[in-house]
Amino acid sequence: MKLDGVELRWVEMPLRSPFRTSFGTQTVRQLLLLRAVADEGEGWGECVAMSEPVYSSEYQEGCADVLRRYLVPALTGEVDGISVVPRLKKYYGHRMAKAALEMAVLDAELRARGVSFGRELGATRDRVPCGVSVGIMNSIPELLDAVGGYLGEGYVRIKLKIEPGWDVEPVRAVRERFGDEVLLQVDANTAYALADARHLARLDPFDLLLIEQPLDEEELLAHAELAKVVQTPICLDESITSASSAADAIRLGACQIVNIKPGRVGGYLEARRIHDVCAANNIAAWCGGMLETGIGRAANVALAALPGCTLPGDTSASDRYYKLDVTEPFVLDDGHLTVPAGPGLGVTPLPEALEEVTVKTEWIPL
Ligand SMILES: CC(=O)N[C@@H](Cc1ccc2ccccc2c1)C(=O)O
Ligand SMILES: [Mg+2]
């Protein structure tokens, strides 16, 4: 397949309600969508970087710049999904930008071949159970209302964002109100230090599925030390950047569970490799979320359908975050989302909705 060029699209999606985590509060999702235009057709990719480098080092404008200057121009001549990342090896890092470009080329290739993302990745299910990520709230009553609402919508797992000062009490309140059967986990987004080990062990009595990324993303050995004090399984998110980093973390005892995010690890093909490393080591894995539009959501639901994704992911319905999605909305059905079965992503943007949330476009010719 030969690329004519790639269109970058700056998209701004207001969140239904502010989403607060240990790294800040978001009220709008600013992201890049990519449209790869090739001789065999076109494909869509989503860059999950935030507008600011507060989750990881990448950010929206930085991704646009590295795509414009280095990554897209490198894809001259024959290219297909599997060859994108190897062709970009000379450029260090920028995994979210690379993931978006691989995704757009892979989508174009799969649409042309009539193969779905799920089929390509090795999905074994046609629907997946969905969890939901709940932000830090101003009060416990507000949190309980939000959790009650999501349980009422059918979500099969609740994830609470935590930070020092908002951890044991919210977990205790949710357990007391909704009982011990609810699948419950927490995500600290690196907000704690190893010195907080005994404090984090106070979460052990609440039978959580996992504690996600309690420490800094580079502290693998510290997570292994933490795991000796805290009984609740440790899950890593920000720390897992590739299949080899997953293998290291598992061997070091830094995690018992892995949150797989294709954007964070450099693409859906690397995400599948991480899935395989986890499965080979009997490590539970699940598909994380970056508040994607229906474009990224479609690909994430396909990934979540792989056999080694044994825990509900953050593949929530479109209306968890957005009143209006750029594709037909993903709607929760009995706590599950259906894996798109059409060629490629199986979804395409709705032109009017896409125009409404687009703030700028840029054509990068090859
Ligand atoms: C669903 C979930 O909790 N996602 C990330 C954190 C996160 C939170 C807020 C975000 C806002 C804008 C863009 C990306 C974001 C990612 C996580 O698992 O750590
Ligand atoms: Mg996380």
Side-chain angles (χ1 to χ4, degrees), residues 19 21 23 26 29 48 50 55 133 159 161 187 189 212 237-238 259 261 289-291 314 321:
F19 188 40
T21 69
F23 57 73
Q26 315 291 325
R29 183 67 168 101
V48 298
M50 298 176 66
Y55 166 80
S133 182
K159 160 168 149 178
K161 290 293 184 179
D187 186 357
N189 288 108
E212 187 178 342
D237 171 348
E238 289 88 334
N259 167 337
K261 284 183 184 172
M290 292 292 284
L291 284 68
D314 282 343
Y321 299 108

Side-chain angles (χ1 to χ4, degrees), residues 121-122 124-125 243 246-247 250 255-258 260 270-286 303 306-311:
L121 294 177
T124 52
R125 289 168 280 170
I250 293 165
C255 64
Q256 290 78 44
I257 301 172
V258 170
I260 302 177
E270 188 68 10
R272 182 182 56 190
R273 295 182 195 108
I274 292 172
H275 160 275
D276 295 348
V277 165
C278 292
N281 287 279
N282 281 317
I283 291 286
W286 51 283
L303 176 70
L306 266 62
C309 287
T310 51
L311 289 173

